[in-house]
Amino acid sequence: EGSMEELKESVAIARDEVIADMIAACEGRAAFYDLLAAIYFRPLTAEQIDNIAGIDWSEYADLNELFADGVNDVSRYLRKRNSGTRQELAVDFTSAFAGTQSWKGRYAVPYESVHTSEEGLMFQEAYHEVFQLYKANRVAKAEGYDFPHDHLSFMCEFLVVLSERIAAVLEAGGDAEALAQVRVSRAFLADHILSWFDTFQDLALLLLQTRFYRGILKISKGFFLEDAELLDSMAVELENRLEKGE
Protein backbone atom coordinates (compact mmCIF):
# COMPACT_ATOMS: atom_id res chain seq x y z
CA GLU A 1 0.00 0.00 0.00
CA GLY A 2 2.88 2.29 0.81
CA SER A 3 4.26 1.95 -2.68
CA MET A 4 0.83 2.78 -4.15
CA GLU A 5 0.72 5.95 -2.06
CA GLU A 6 4.24 6.80 -3.17
CA LEU A 7 3.27 6.24 -6.78
CA LYS A 8 0.25 8.52 -6.42
CA GLU A 9 2.45 11.13 -4.82
CA SER A 10 5.08 10.97 -7.57
CA VAL A 11 2.34 11.22 -10.23
CA ALA A 12 0.95 14.31 -8.45
CA ILE A 13 4.43 15.87 -8.31
CA ALA A 14 5.00 15.15 -12.01
CA ARG A 15 1.61 16.68 -12.81
CA ASP A 16 2.48 19.80 -10.81
CA GLU A 17 5.77 20.09 -12.71
CA VAL A 18 3.98 19.90 -16.06
CA ILE A 19 1.60 22.66 -14.97
CA ALA A 20 4.52 24.76 -13.68
CA ASP A 21 6.28 24.30 -17.06
CA MET A 22 3.15 25.37 -18.93
CA ILE A 23 2.73 28.45 -16.72
CA ALA A 24 6.39 29.38 -17.27
CA ALA A 25 5.94 28.90 -21.03
CA CYS A 26 2.90 31.20 -20.97
CA GLU A 27 4.83 33.87 -19.11
CA GLY A 28 7.74 33.59 -21.56
CA ARG A 29 5.55 33.81 -24.66
CA ALA A 30 3.56 36.72 -23.20
CA ALA A 31 6.81 38.66 -22.64
CA PHE A 32 7.99 37.94 -26.18
CA TYR A 33 4.70 38.93 -27.81
CA ASP A 34 4.88 42.11 -25.75
CA LEU A 35 8.34 42.83 -27.18
CA LEU A 36 7.17 42.23 -30.77
CA ALA A 37 4.13 44.47 -30.20
CA ALA A 38 6.44 47.31 -29.13
CA ILE A 39 8.82 46.78 -32.07
CA TYR A 40 6.08 46.94 -34.73
CA PHE A 41 4.15 49.77 -33.09
CA ARG A 42 6.36 52.83 -33.68
CA PRO A 43 10.03 53.70 -34.28
CA LEU A 44 12.20 52.59 -31.37
CA THR A 45 13.57 54.99 -28.78
CA ALA A 46 17.27 54.99 -27.89
CA GLU A 47 16.34 53.26 -24.62
CA GLN A 48 14.41 50.50 -26.41
CA ILE A 49 17.34 49.95 -28.79
CA ASP A 50 19.71 49.59 -25.82
CA ASN A 51 17.27 47.18 -24.14
CA ILE A 52 17.09 44.99 -27.26
CA ALA A 53 20.90 45.09 -27.53
CA GLY A 54 21.02 43.81 -23.94
CA ILE A 55 18.72 40.81 -24.46
CA ASP A 56 20.31 37.48 -23.57
CA TRP A 57 19.26 35.40 -26.57
CA SER A 58 20.88 32.22 -25.25
CA GLU A 59 17.62 30.97 -23.69
CA TYR A 60 16.12 30.98 -27.20
CA ALA A 61 19.16 29.27 -28.73
CA ASP A 62 17.37 26.10 -29.82
CA LEU A 63 14.14 27.67 -31.05
CA ASN A 64 14.67 27.20 -34.80
CA GLU A 65 17.06 28.16 -37.58
CA LEU A 66 14.99 31.08 -38.82
CA PHE A 67 14.88 32.62 -35.34
CA ALA A 68 18.63 32.07 -34.89
CA ASP A 69 19.36 33.76 -38.25
CA GLY A 70 17.27 36.74 -37.18
CA VAL A 71 19.05 36.99 -33.82
CA ASN A 72 22.38 36.96 -35.65
CA ASP A 73 21.24 39.82 -37.92
CA VAL A 74 19.92 41.93 -35.04
CA SER A 75 22.93 41.30 -32.78
CA ARG A 76 25.48 42.10 -35.48
CA TYR A 77 23.68 45.29 -36.41
CA LEU A 78 23.35 46.49 -32.81
CA ARG A 79 26.98 45.68 -32.00
CA LYS A 80 27.89 48.55 -34.33
CA ARG A 81 25.29 50.99 -33.01
CA ASN A 82 26.23 54.64 -32.64
CA SER A 83 24.65 58.08 -32.24
CA GLY A 84 22.99 57.77 -35.66
CA THR A 85 21.40 54.34 -35.10
CA ARG A 86 18.08 55.54 -33.69
CA GLN A 87 17.53 57.84 -36.68
CA GLU A 88 18.58 55.19 -39.20
CA LEU A 89 16.11 52.69 -37.70
CA ALA A 90 13.35 55.33 -37.52
CA VAL A 91 13.73 56.08 -41.24
CA ASP A 92 13.66 52.36 -42.06
CA PHE A 93 10.59 51.75 -39.88
CA THR A 94 8.72 54.68 -41.36
CA SER A 95 9.48 53.82 -44.98
CA ALA A 96 8.23 50.24 -44.64
CA PHE A 97 5.90 49.84 -41.67
CA ALA A 98 4.39 53.34 -41.67
CA GLY A 99 3.91 53.20 -45.43
CA THR A 100 5.85 56.26 -46.61
CA GLN A 101 7.42 54.09 -49.36
CA SER A 102 5.76 51.50 -51.56
CA TRP A 103 6.82 48.73 -53.91
CA LYS A 104 4.91 48.83 -57.20
CA GLY A 105 2.00 50.48 -55.42
CA ARG A 106 1.93 48.03 -52.51
CA TYR A 107 2.64 48.97 -48.91
CA ALA A 108 4.36 46.90 -46.21
CA VAL A 109 2.18 48.19 -43.39
CA PRO A 110 1.49 45.63 -40.62
CA TYR A 111 -2.30 45.39 -41.08
CA GLU A 112 -3.91 42.08 -41.95
CA SER A 113 -6.56 43.73 -44.18
CA VAL A 114 -3.94 45.26 -46.46
CA HIS A 115 -2.42 41.85 -47.21
CA THR A 116 -5.60 39.77 -47.36
CA SER A 117 -7.97 42.01 -49.35
CA GLU A 118 -7.79 42.16 -53.13
CA GLU A 119 -7.69 45.95 -53.12
CA GLY A 120 -4.92 46.06 -50.46
CA LEU A 121 -7.00 48.38 -48.30
CA MET A 122 -7.37 48.87 -44.57
CA PHE A 123 -10.62 48.22 -42.64
CA GLN A 124 -11.58 45.23 -44.80
CA GLU A 125 -13.01 41.83 -43.80
CA ALA A 126 -10.02 40.83 -41.63
CA TYR A 127 -10.38 44.01 -39.61
CA HIS A 128 -14.02 43.20 -38.80
CA GLU A 129 -13.21 39.57 -37.94
CA VAL A 130 -10.44 40.61 -35.56
CA PHE A 131 -12.63 43.27 -33.96
CA GLN A 132 -15.34 40.67 -33.28
CA LEU A 133 -12.79 38.24 -31.82
CA TYR A 134 -11.49 40.87 -29.41
CA LYS A 135 -15.06 41.62 -28.40
CA ALA A 136 -15.98 37.94 -27.95
CA ASN A 137 -12.92 37.46 -25.75
CA ARG A 138 -13.60 40.60 -23.72
CA VAL A 139 -10.47 42.41 -24.88
CA ALA A 140 -10.68 46.12 -25.68
CA LYS A 141 -8.12 48.33 -27.35
CA ALA A 142 -6.83 51.02 -24.97
CA GLU A 143 -8.21 54.51 -25.50
CA GLY A 144 -6.09 56.88 -27.54
CA TYR A 145 -4.65 54.31 -29.95
CA ASP A 146 -6.02 55.16 -33.35
CA PHE A 147 -4.57 52.28 -35.38
CA PRO A 148 -7.11 49.76 -36.71
CA HIS A 149 -7.62 46.58 -34.67
CA ASP A 150 -5.87 44.34 -37.21
CA HIS A 151 -2.49 46.01 -36.69
CA LEU A 152 0.12 43.36 -35.85
CA SER A 153 1.00 45.07 -32.56
CA PHE A 154 -2.59 44.80 -31.30
CA MET A 155 -2.74 41.18 -32.41
CA CYS A 156 0.42 40.43 -30.44
CA GLU A 157 -1.05 42.20 -27.40
CA PHE A 158 -4.25 40.14 -27.76
CA LEU A 159 -2.11 37.00 -27.52
CA VAL A 160 -0.36 38.48 -24.45
CA VAL A 161 -3.74 38.87 -22.73
CA LEU A 162 -4.78 35.31 -23.63
CA SER A 163 -1.42 33.94 -22.48
CA GLU A 164 -1.78 35.66 -19.12
CA ARG A 165 -5.29 34.23 -18.81
CA ILE A 166 -4.03 30.71 -19.58
CA ALA A 167 -1.36 31.02 -16.88
CA ALA A 168 -3.91 32.32 -14.34
CA VAL A 169 -6.46 29.55 -14.93
CA LEU A 170 -3.74 26.87 -14.89
CA GLU A 171 -2.63 28.26 -11.54
CA ALA A 172 -6.22 27.94 -10.32
CA GLY A 173 -6.58 24.38 -11.66
CA GLY A 174 -8.95 25.26 -14.51
CA ASP A 175 -7.66 22.89 -17.18
CA ALA A 176 -10.83 23.05 -19.31
CA GLU A 177 -10.78 26.86 -19.40
CA ALA A 178 -7.04 26.83 -20.11
CA LEU A 179 -7.61 24.46 -23.04
CA ALA A 180 -10.33 26.75 -24.43
CA GLN A 181 -7.96 29.74 -24.26
CA VAL A 182 -5.13 27.73 -25.85
CA ARG A 183 -7.43 26.81 -28.74
CA VAL A 184 -8.53 30.43 -29.23
CA SER A 185 -4.84 31.49 -29.24
CA ARG A 186 -3.83 28.77 -31.71
CA ALA A 187 -6.67 29.56 -34.12
CA PHE A 188 -5.95 33.29 -33.90
CA LEU A 189 -2.27 32.76 -34.62
CA ALA A 190 -3.09 30.63 -37.68
CA ASP A 191 -6.00 32.66 -39.03
CA HIS A 192 -4.87 36.20 -38.29
CA ILE A 193 -1.06 36.25 -38.14
CA LEU A 194 0.52 33.33 -39.98
CA SER A 195 -2.09 33.64 -42.75
CA TRP A 196 -0.59 36.90 -44.04
CA PHE A 197 2.80 37.33 -42.38
CA ASP A 198 4.76 35.85 -45.32
CA THR A 199 3.15 38.28 -47.79
CA PHE A 200 3.88 41.18 -45.45
CA GLN A 201 7.45 39.97 -44.84
CA ASP A 202 8.26 39.51 -48.54
CA LEU A 203 7.05 43.02 -49.30
CA ALA A 204 8.82 44.58 -46.31
CA LEU A 205 12.11 42.96 -47.32
CA LEU A 206 11.93 44.84 -50.63
CA LEU A 207 11.70 48.15 -48.77
CA LEU A 208 13.83 47.72 -45.64
CA GLN A 209 17.44 48.89 -45.69
CA THR A 210 18.71 47.79 -42.27
CA ARG A 211 19.85 44.37 -41.20
CA PHE A 212 18.08 45.03 -37.90
CA TYR A 213 14.52 45.00 -39.26
CA ARG A 214 15.26 42.21 -41.71
CA GLY A 215 16.39 40.21 -38.67
CA ILE A 216 13.27 41.20 -36.70
CA LEU A 217 11.09 39.76 -39.48
CA LYS A 218 12.95 36.43 -39.29
CA ILE A 219 12.76 36.39 -35.48
CA SER A 220 9.01 37.10 -35.68
CA LYS A 221 8.28 34.30 -38.17
CA GLY A 222 10.52 31.85 -36.30
CA PHE A 223 8.77 32.70 -33.04
CA PHE A 224 5.25 32.41 -34.52
CA LEU A 225 6.07 28.94 -35.91
CA GLU A 226 7.54 27.82 -32.60
CA ASP A 227 4.59 29.22 -30.70
CA ALA A 228 2.15 27.31 -32.91
CA GLU A 229 3.97 24.08 -31.95
CA LEU A 230 3.99 25.05 -28.27
CA LEU A 231 0.24 25.73 -28.29
CA ASP A 232 -0.36 22.41 -30.06
CA SER A 233 1.61 20.50 -27.44
CA MET A 234 -0.15 22.37 -24.60
CA ALA A 235 -3.52 21.49 -26.11
CA VAL A 236 -2.57 17.79 -26.31
CA GLU A 237 -1.34 17.81 -22.70
CA LEU A 238 -4.50 19.49 -21.42
CA GLU A 239 -6.77 17.19 -23.47
CA ASN A 240 -5.01 14.15 -21.98
CA ARG A 241 -5.35 15.52 -18.46
CA LEU A 242 -9.06 16.18 -18.93
CA GLU A 243 -9.63 12.72 -20.40
CA LYS A 244 -7.94 11.11 -17.40
CA GLY A 245 -9.87 13.38 -15.08
CA GLU A 246 -6.68 14.62 -13.43
Side-chain angles (χ1 to χ4, degrees), residues 2 4 49 53 55 58 63 66 74 95 111 126 128 149 154 168 173 176 193 206 210 223 226 230 235:
M4 181 55 86
I49 292 165
I55 292 174
S58 60
L63 220 58
L66 191 55
V74 166
S95 70
Y111 299 101
H128 298 290
H149 292 75
F154 294 146
I193 294 182
L206 295 169
T210 64
F223 175 72
E226 182 65 25
L230 172 67

Coordinates of all heavy atoms in Angstrom, one line a residue, residues 2 4 49 53 55 58 63 66 74 95 111 126 128 149 154 168 173 176 193 206 210 223 226 230 235:
G2 N 2.0 1.2 0.8 CA 2.9 2.3 0.8 C 3.4 2.7 -0.6 O 3.4 3.8 -0.9
M4 N 1.9 2.2 -3.4 CA 0.8 2.8 -4.2 C 0.7 4.3 -3.8 O 0.5 5.1 -4.7 CB -0.5 2.0 -3.9 CG -1.7 2.6 -4.7 SD -1.4 2.6 -6.5 CE -1.9 1.0 -6.9
I49 N 16.2 50.5 -28.0 CA 17.3 50.0 -28.8 C 18.4 49.4 -27.9 O 18.8 48.2 -28.1 CB 18.0 51.0 -29.7 CG1 16.9 51.4 -30.8 CG2 19.2 50.5 -30.4 CD1 17.3 52.7 -31.6
A53 N 19.5 45.5 -27.4 CA 20.9 45.1 -27.5 C 21.3 44.3 -26.3 O 22.2 43.5 -26.4 CB 21.8 46.3 -27.7
I55 N 19.4 42.1 -24.6 CA 18.7 40.8 -24.5 C 19.7 39.6 -24.5 O 20.6 39.6 -25.4 CB 17.6 40.6 -25.6 CG1 16.5 41.6 -25.4 CG2 17.1 39.2 -25.5 CD1 15.5 41.6 -26.5
S58 N 20.5 33.6 -25.4 CA 20.9 32.2 -25.3 C 19.7 31.3 -24.9 O 19.7 30.1 -25.2 CB 22.0 32.1 -24.2 OG 21.6 32.6 -23.0
L63 N 15.5 27.5 -30.5 CA 14.1 27.7 -31.1 C 14.0 27.1 -32.5 O 13.3 26.2 -32.7 CB 13.8 29.2 -31.0 CG 12.4 29.5 -30.6 CD1 12.1 28.9 -29.2 CD2 12.1 31.0 -30.6
L66 N 15.4 29.8 -38.4 CA 15.0 31.1 -38.8 C 15.2 32.1 -37.7 O 15.7 33.2 -37.9 CB 13.5 31.0 -39.2 CG 12.9 32.2 -40.0 CD1 13.7 32.5 -41.2 CD2 11.4 31.8 -40.3
V74 N 20.2 40.9 -36.0 CA 19.9 41.9 -35.0 C 21.1 42.2 -34.2 O 21.5 43.4 -34.0 CB 18.7 41.6 -34.2 CG1 18.6 42.5 -33.0 CG2 17.4 41.6 -35.0
S95 N 9.6 54.1 -43.5 CA 9.5 53.8 -45.0 C 8.7 52.5 -45.2 O 7.9 52.5 -46.2 CB 10.8 53.8 -45.7 OG 11.6 52.6 -45.3
Y111 N -0.9 45.6 -41.3 CA -2.3 45.4 -41.1 C -2.7 44.2 -41.9 O -2.5 44.1 -43.1 CB -3.1 46.6 -41.6 CG -2.8 47.9 -40.8 CD1 -1.9 48.8 -41.4 CD2 -3.3 48.1 -39.6 CE1 -1.6 50.0 -40.7 CE2 -3.0 49.3 -38.9 CZ -2.1 50.2 -39.5 OH -1.8 51.4 -38.8
A126 N -10.9 41.3 -42.7 CA -10.0 40.8 -41.6 C -10.1 41.8 -40.4 O -10.2 41.3 -39.3 CB -8.6 40.8 -42.1
H128 N -12.7 43.5 -39.5 CA -14.0 43.2 -38.8 C -14.0 41.9 -38.0 O -14.5 41.8 -36.9 CB -15.2 43.2 -39.8 CG -15.3 44.6 -40.5 ND1 -15.8 45.7 -39.8 CD2 -15.1 45.0 -41.7 CE1 -15.8 46.7 -40.6 NE2 -15.4 46.3 -41.8
H149 N -7.8 47.7 -35.6 CA -7.6 46.6 -34.7 C -6.8 45.5 -35.3 O -6.2 44.6 -34.5 CB -9.0 46.0 -34.3 CG -9.8 46.9 -33.5 ND1 -10.4 48.0 -33.9 CD2 -10.1 46.8 -32.1 CE1 -11.1 48.6 -32.9 NE2 -10.9 47.9 -31.8
F154 N -1.4 45.1 -32.1 CA -2.6 44.8 -31.3 C -2.8 43.3 -31.3 O -3.3 42.8 -30.3 CB -3.8 45.5 -31.8 CG -3.7 47.0 -31.7 CD1 -4.3 47.9 -32.7 CD2 -3.1 47.6 -30.6 CE1 -4.2 49.2 -32.6 CE2 -3.0 49.0 -30.5 CZ -3.6 49.8 -31.5
A168 N -3.1 32.1 -15.5 CA -3.9 32.3 -14.3 C -4.9 31.2 -14.1 O -5.0 30.7 -13.0 CB -4.7 33.6 -14.5
G173 N -6.1 25.8 -11.4 CA -6.6 24.4 -11.7 C -7.7 24.3 -12.7 O -8.3 23.2 -12.8
A176 N -9.9 22.9 -18.2 CA -10.8 23.1 -19.3 C -10.8 24.5 -19.9 O -10.8 24.7 -21.1 CB -12.2 22.7 -18.9
I193 N -2.5 35.8 -38.1 CA -1.1 36.3 -38.1 C -0.3 35.4 -39.2 O 0.2 36.0 -40.2 CB -0.4 36.2 -36.7 CG1 -1.0 37.2 -35.8 CG2 1.1 36.5 -36.9 CD1 -0.4 37.2 -34.4
L206 N 11.6 44.1 -49.4 CA 11.9 44.8 -50.6 C 12.1 46.3 -50.3 O 12.7 47.1 -51.1 CB 10.8 44.7 -51.7 CG 10.6 43.3 -52.2 CD1 9.3 43.3 -53.0 CD2 11.8 42.9 -53.1
T210 N 17.8 48.2 -43.4 CA 18.7 47.8 -42.3 C 18.6 46.3 -42.0 O 17.6 45.7 -42.1 CB 18.4 48.5 -40.9 OG1 17.0 48.1 -40.5 CG2 18.4 50.0 -41.1
F223 N 9.5 32.8 -34.3 CA 8.8 32.7 -33.0 C 7.3 32.2 -33.3 O 6.8 31.4 -32.5 CB 8.8 34.1 -32.3 CG 8.0 34.1 -31.1 CD1 8.4 33.4 -29.9 CD2 6.8 34.8 -31.1 CE1 7.6 33.4 -28.8 CE2 6.0 34.8 -29.9 CZ 6.4 34.1 -28.8
E226 N 7.2 28.5 -33.8 CA 7.5 27.8 -32.6 C 6.4 27.9 -31.6 O 6.0 26.9 -31.0 CB 8.8 28.4 -31.9 CG 9.2 27.8 -30.7 CD 9.7 26.3 -30.8 OE1 10.1 26.0 -32.0 OE2 9.6 25.6 -29.9
L230 N 4.2 25.0 -29.7 CA 4.0 25.0 -28.3 C 2.5 25.0 -27.9 O 2.1 24.2 -27.0 CB 4.6 26.3 -27.7 CG 4.3 26.6 -26.2 CD1 5.0 25.5 -25.3 CD2 4.8 28.0 -25.8
A235 N -2.2 22.0 -25.9 CA -3.5 21.5 -26.1 C -3.6 20.0 -25.9 O -4.5 19.5 -25.2 CB -4.0 21.9 -27.5

